[in-house]
């Protein structure tokens, strides 16, 4: 039974990983990381990716294991923190908590903020826990498997990610494609690393650097969000959160009712985190599914607990499982995972299948910290919400300029470039217009993040086959991934055809609604 | 219509905005394709040229934007819904214009002093706060950022003549 042996080996390695965490300093870093992360998640525009990037230099003096524990805990904290602003202020601190605002904020408006937050944190924890279990048992298997991957397989995985945006998005597929291609085009700006050729710089030295996804994220989500909030007429009032042991206990008692939603959310999240669709689309997809299958469908958007559970489990499961492809394949599943990958490279660790062979202690220390970090996170957020909420219960005419300033600081620190602050503002206006016309922002950002990587794996694959696209069907593995990607891409057409056929089969008989 | 409040004159309709944005996408797509052709979108002696991948990115963008364009030109249903109403636009500009001025000032005064001016102006103009509320916020927030970035994290932010005067 090789599978059983594999699982036992994973458990053994995990126990060893917990041993790494026995160092009290590592536990301290864990709590510092969580607290910083919640703060970062709470402040709009100072996202997880940005926060990790800014704090990366702080960790250079630590051992790689301690450093990654602290950085990943900032990441967990940011995932938790996003929910606080979504529920209390209707402003998602992070793009993946946008879907949480749909029901979380109405709950807060009705005076159920404590319940909404408890539900959000608990489901976040649940989603993360499922994802960590998945990582524990799947990562070693995938790492072993991925040792055989070539550029065509890597490109196929990325293609699948992008095609699932088109097939699964609620927006017009053409708009999804436009936004995504804009991301790829922006990613291509600057020096082409293969040929050394300058692309789309039009003689500008500033454009040589290309467009950084962090600037785009800060502008699109930070500034764009402020403009949208402002447009709604300064209706930016925070709701107070009374969280005490009684509210937490009462909410916990009611949560097992949503076990189906939570498990479905975790599955969607894990899938989107690994593919790597990321936490943002995962949260939307899970929300959409919960709405479709819920008995209280009409109550969604008016403060339904299920509408909080669904996006939060998915977002946290995706955010956590995004580290699986990063560790095993070297493909970051999310923008923040991309920054963490940058950190690994700085410490001289090469992410990818070999990491599990060569850096056992590091990998299993990190995985063990995911278990403890999420428990620590749950404790920290449940006890400190009133503190964070009171920082934020400040009128919009004070917080708006402060957020703009923090966004500007964040944009500047990415490359120490003034032009980036200007670009941030431009992206803000773009974000505002896109939001209003329902052009999706997530595929744009992800294309910007993965653009270079997708292009280089595509070019390498083409180089291997001398330009023959048949390489993408050259073996069953790559062939099935690419075929699945194409099914996803044309899903809007396929589902329309299926519906047509279905209605023709029904052949004129009147459809009687089933009660 | 839902937005039946006062001053709700639409500045621009959704349909017009859809057409403009789709048109801009088509324009960007053409620029991307043209530049890809410039650097070479075919096969070089040592593999795909620099414009090989971006050319198709531009092509897909062009086709999708033209599809959106066509849908909106033929469909007239969105004609009456407003993209933005007059009072909404005024509110948006209330944030956007001062932010743009703040960014421009950063180039000359550094980020800290510009932040003080920006926060103070915004609180006075939009929030109508008294000076005793404005001053602590406008000074303490940038000061806090200064401590956090320059001193704790050792991340230098743009500084101007005033900071130079104090020896930073």
């Amino acid at each position: 039974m090789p599978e059983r042996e594999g699982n036992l080996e994973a458990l053994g390695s995990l126990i060893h990983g917990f041993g790494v965490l026995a160092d009290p300093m590592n536990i301290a870093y864990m709590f510092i990381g969580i607290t910083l992360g919640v703060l970062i998640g709470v402040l709009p525009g100072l996202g997880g990716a940005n926060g990790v990037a800014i704090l990366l230099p702080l960790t250079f003096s630590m051992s790689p294991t301690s450093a990654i524990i602290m950085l990943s805990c900032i990441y967990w904290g940011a995932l938790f923190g996003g929910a606080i602003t979504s529920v209390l202020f209707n402003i998602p601190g992070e793009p993946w908590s946008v879907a949480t605002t749909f029901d979380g904020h109405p709950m807060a408006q009705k005076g159920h903020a404590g319940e909404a937050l408890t539900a959000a944190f608990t489901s976040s924890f649940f989603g993360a826990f499922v994802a960590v279990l998945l990582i524990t048992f799947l990562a070693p298997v995938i790492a072993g498997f991925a040792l055989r991957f070539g550029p065509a397989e890597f490109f196929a995985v990325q293609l699948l990610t992008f095609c699932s945006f088109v097939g699964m998005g609620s927006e017009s597929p053409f708009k999804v494609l436009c936004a995504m291609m804009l991301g790829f085009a922006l990613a291509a700006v600057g020096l082409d690393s293969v040929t050394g050729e300058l692309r789309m710089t039009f003689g500008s030295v500033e454009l040589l650097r290309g467009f950084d996804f962090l600037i785009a994220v800060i502008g699109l989500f930070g500034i764009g969000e402020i403009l949208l909030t402002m447009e709604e007429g300064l209706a930016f009032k925070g709701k107070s959160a009374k969280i005490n042991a009684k509210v937490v206990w009462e909410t916990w008692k009611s949560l097992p009712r949503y076990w189906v939603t939570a498990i479905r959310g975790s599955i969607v999240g894990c899938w989107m985190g690994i593919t790597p669709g990321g936490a943002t689309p995962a949260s939307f997809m899970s929300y959409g599914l919960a709405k479709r299958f819920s008995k209280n469908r009409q109550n969604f958007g008016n403060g339904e607990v299920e509408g909080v559970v669904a996006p939060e489990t998915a977002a946290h499961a995706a955010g956590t499982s995004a580290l699986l492809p990063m560790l095993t394949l070297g493909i970051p599943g999310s923008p923040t995972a991309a920054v963490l990958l940058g950190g690994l490279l700085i410490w001289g660790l090469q992410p990818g299948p070999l990491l599990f062979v060569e850096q056992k202690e590091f990998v299993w220390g990190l995985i063990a910290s995911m278990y403890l970090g999420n428990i620590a996170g749950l404790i920290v957020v449940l006890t400190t919400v009133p503190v964070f909420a009171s920082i934020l219960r400040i009128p919009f005419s004070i917080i708006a300029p402060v957020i703009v300033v923090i966004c500007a600081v964040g944009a500047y620190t990415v490359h120490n470039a003034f032009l980036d602050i200007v670009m941030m503002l431009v992206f803000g206006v773009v974000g505002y217009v896109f939001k209003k016309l329902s052009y999706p922002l997530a595929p744009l950002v992800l294309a910007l993040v993965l653009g270079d990587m997708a292009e280089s794996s595509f070019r390498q694959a083409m180089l291997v086959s001398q330009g023959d696209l048949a390489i993408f069907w050259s073996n069953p593995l790559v062939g099935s991934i690419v075929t699945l990607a194409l099914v996803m891409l044309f899903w809007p057409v396929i589902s329309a055809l299926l519906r047509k056929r279905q209605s023709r089969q029904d052949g004129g008989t009147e459809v009687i609604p089933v009660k | 219509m839902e937005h039946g409040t006062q001053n709700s004159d639409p500045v621009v309709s959704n349909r017009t905005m859809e057409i403009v944005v789709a048109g801009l996408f088509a324009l960007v797509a053409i620029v991307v394709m043209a530049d890809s052709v410039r650097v070479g979108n075919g096969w070089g002696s040592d593999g795909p040229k620099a414009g090989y991948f971006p050319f198709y990115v531009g092509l897909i963008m062009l086709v999708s934007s033209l599809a959106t364009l066509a849908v909106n030109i033929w469909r007239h249903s969105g004609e009456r819904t407003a993209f933005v109403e007059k009072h909404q636009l005024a509110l948006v500009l209330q944030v956007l214009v001062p932010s743009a001025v703040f960014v421009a000032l950063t180039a000359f005064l550094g980020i800290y002093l510009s932040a003080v001016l920006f926060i103070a102006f915004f609180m006075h103009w939009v929030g109508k706060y008294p000076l005793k509320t404005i001053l602590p916020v406008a000074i303490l927030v940038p000061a806090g950022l200064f401590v956090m970035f320059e001193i704790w994290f050792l991340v230098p932010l743009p500084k101007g003549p005033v900071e130079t005067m104090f020896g930073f």
Side-chain angles (χ1 to χ4, degrees):
Chain A
M1 285 264 196
E3 196 179 311
R4 199 151 169 208
E5 268 169 36
N7 284 349
L8 279 179
E9 202 186 310
L11 274 182
S13 310
L14 185 63
I15 290 166
H16 181 74
F18 279 110
V20 175
L21 287 185
D23 182 354
M25 274 320 278
N26 284 346
I27 301 280
Y29 287 140
M30 198 170 318
F31 276 94
I32 296 172
I34 294 279
T35 314
L36 282 174
V38 177
L39 190 64
I40 282 163
V42 155
L43 294 170
L46 261 184
N50 201 359
V52 175
I54 293 169
L55 297 173
L56 201 60
L58 284 184
T59 60
F60 288 161
S61 56
M62 303 176 186
S63 76
T65 314
S66 306
I68 195 79
I69 287 171
M70 182 163 136
L71 289 174
S72 61
C73 281
I74 293 173
Y75 186 26
W76 315 141
L79 280 164
F80 277 117
I84 300 179
T85 43
S86 299
V87 171
L88 297 181
F89 301 92
N90 204 20
I91 284 200
E94 299 288 349
W96 56 71
S97 42
V98 172
T100 312
T101 61
F102 300 159
D103 280 278
H105 190 63
M107 278 181 79
Q109 280 175 320
K110 289 177 187 163
H112 301 303
E115 282 172 39
L117 285 171
T118 310
F121 296 148
T122 315
S123 12
S124 297
F125 175 77
F126 180 81
F129 200 79
V130 173
V132 180
L133 280 177
L134 186 83
I135 291 179
T136 309
F137 295 105
L138 208 57
V141 182
I142 293 186
F145 187 60
L147 286 169
R148 302 197 318 237
F149 267 30
E153 282 82 0
F154 277 109
F155 180 73
V157 172
Q158 286 151 352
L159 186 72
L160 179 61
T161 311
F162 287 106
C163 290
S164 32
F165 275 112
V166 180
M168 295 294 136
S170 55
E171 297 90 356
S172 142
F174 296 119
K175 287 185 174 175
V176 179
L177 279 173
C178 270
M180 194 186 289
M181 292 306 134
L182 183 64
F184 277 119
L186 290 175
V189 173
L191 193 74
D192 174 28
S193 53
V194 181
T195 60
E197 203 105 39
L198 291 182
R199 298 192 297 194
M200 288 177 267
T201 54
F202 307 106
S204 153
V205 182
E206 292 274 6
L207 283 179
L208 269 180
R209 250 189 343 261
F211 287 88
D212 196 289
F213 73 94
L214 290 173
I215 312 296
V217 168
I218 297 171
L220 293 171
F221 294 103
I223 304 292
E225 208 55 55
I226 290 172
L227 296 178
L228 280 173
T229 314
M230 191 72 183
E231 184 195 272
E232 280 151 26
L234 296 171
F236 178 81
K237 287 198 188 77
K239 297 291 160 194
S240 62
K242 282 187 216 106
I243 278 206
N244 51 40
K246 192 171 164 257
V247 174
V248 172
W249 180 243
E250 291 294 319
T251 314
W252 277 356
K253 273 203 297 194
S254 75
L255 283 180
R257 256 190 285 160
Y258 307 112
W259 66 276
V260 180
T261 309
I263 289 173
R264 190 174 47 220
S266 308
I267 294 170
V268 169
C270 288
W271 171 251
M272 293 298 277
I274 294 169
T275 43
T280 310
S283 61
F284 280 104
M285 197 184 284
S286 171
Y287 182 86
L289 286 173
K291 191 174 172 182
R292 181 176 296 174
F293 292 112
S294 173
K295 274 176 276 174
N296 302 324
R297 197 181 306 176
Q298 71 289 352
N299 199 31
F300 269 68
N302 301 325
E304 176 67 36
V305 180
E306 209 178 342
V308 175
V309 173
E312 282 294 312
T313 39
H316 232 120
T320 308
S321 56
L323 297 188
L324 177 64
M326 183 197 92
L327 288 172
T328 55
L329 307 174
I331 295 176
S334 72
T336 315
V339 182
L340 286 175
L341 186 120
L344 292 185
L345 291 172
I346 292 170
W347 296 309
L349 300 171
Q350 180 65 51
L354 282 174
L355 201 63
F356 280 79
V357 185
E358 290 169 354
Q359 298 287 341
K360 266 193 145 161
E361 182 166 305
F362 168 82
V363 170
W364 289 103
L366 170 62
I367 294 177
S369 89
M370 292 179 184
Y371 285 93
L372 291 186
N374 274 295
I375 297 173
L378 190 64
I379 297 170
V380 169
V381 286
L382 280 177
T383 47
T384 55
V385 158
V387 181
F388 286 112
S390 66
I391 295 171
L392 281 155
R393 204 172 308 111
I394 303 167
F396 189 69
S397 47
I398 298 179
I399 207 121
V402 173
I403 294 172
V404 173
V405 169
I406 291 175
C407 287
V409 169
Y412 181 82
T413 50
V414 178
H415 290 298
N416 289 335
F418 173 71
L419 186 79
D420 283 349
I421 310 183
V422 180
M423 285 318 302
M424 168 203 79
L425 215 54
V426 174
F427 273 115
V429 177
V430 170
Y432 167 77
V433 173
F434 277 21
K435 273 262 176 72
K436 295 205 78 173
L437 295 180
S438 57
Y439 279 90
L441 299 181
L444 196 168
V445 172
L446 211 77
L448 196 47
V449 176
L450 288 179
D452 282 341
M453 228 182 296
E455 180 179 354
S456 78
S457 39
F458 180 71
R459 274 158 91 168
Q460 280 170 22
M462 286 292 99
L463 206 55
V464 172
S465 71
Q466 287 301 304
D468 188 358
L469 284 173
I471 189 168
F472 293 115
W473 281 275
S474 59
N475 66 56
L477 173 67
V478 71
S480 48
I481 302 176
V482 171
T483 308
L484 183 62
L486 292 180
V487 170
M488 285 288 203
L489 180 65
F490 292 107
W491 186 248
V493 184
I494 297 170
S495 64
L497 285 178
L498 285 177
R499 263 202 307 272
K500 216 177 214 172
R501 215 177 126 199
Q502 184 69 38
S503 64
R504 202 180 301 149
Q505 272 177 0
D506 290 344
T509 51
E510 218 171 301
V511 182
I512 301 156
V514 185
K515 283 220 170 147
Chain B
M1 284 225 289
E2 274 179 9
H3 304 283
T5 48
Q6 75 278 21
N7 299 332
S8 62
D9 307 329
V11 180
V12 55
S13 77
N14 249 328
R15 180 167 170 255
T16 315
M17 213 48 198
E18 288 273 14
I19 292 172
V20 168
V21 171
L24 284 175
F25 262 117
L27 200 69
V28 172
I30 290 168
V31 171
V32 171
M33 287 165 75
D35 199 72
S36 302
V37 171
R38 181 186 64 83
V39 294
N41 66 331
W43 200 262
S45 54
D46 52 350
K49 283 192 189 166
Y52 186 76
F53 190 79
F55 180 81
Y56 292 101
V57 165
L59 190 67
I60 298 172
M61 202 199 294
L62 185 67
V63 173
S64 335
S65 57
L66 290 179
T68 313
L69 202 61
V71 166
N72 282 288
I73 286 174
W74 278 315
R75 193 192 58 187
H76 291 264
S77 60
E79 208 160 1
R80 289 200 187 164
T81 51
F83 175 77
V84 66
E85 288 161 10
K86 217 171 193 171
H87 73 285
Q88 289 178 324
L89 186 67
L91 285 170
V92 169
L93 290 179
Q94 236 176 3
V95 183
L96 198 58
V97 173
S99 301
V101 174
F102 157 66
V103 170
L105 277 181
T106 304
F108 305 103
L109 298 179
I111 207 161
Y112 300 106
L113 191 59
S114 317
V116 172
L117 295 174
F118 173 51
I119 296 173
F121 172 78
F122 197 89
M123 282 177 72
H124 171 72
W125 189 45
V126 180
K128 307 271 187 293
Y129 285 98
L131 207 59
K132 68 176 198 301
T133 319
I134 293 176
L135 281 181
V137 179
I139 292 171
L140 285 178
V141 169
L145 285 175
F146 185 85
V147 171
M148 196 164 147
F149 283 89
E150 306 281 339
I151 297 171
W152 281 1
F153 296 154
L154 299 173
V155 178
L157 293 180
K159 285 180 281 290
V162 179
E163 289 92 339
T164 321
M165 219 166 68
F166 284 108
F168 281 101

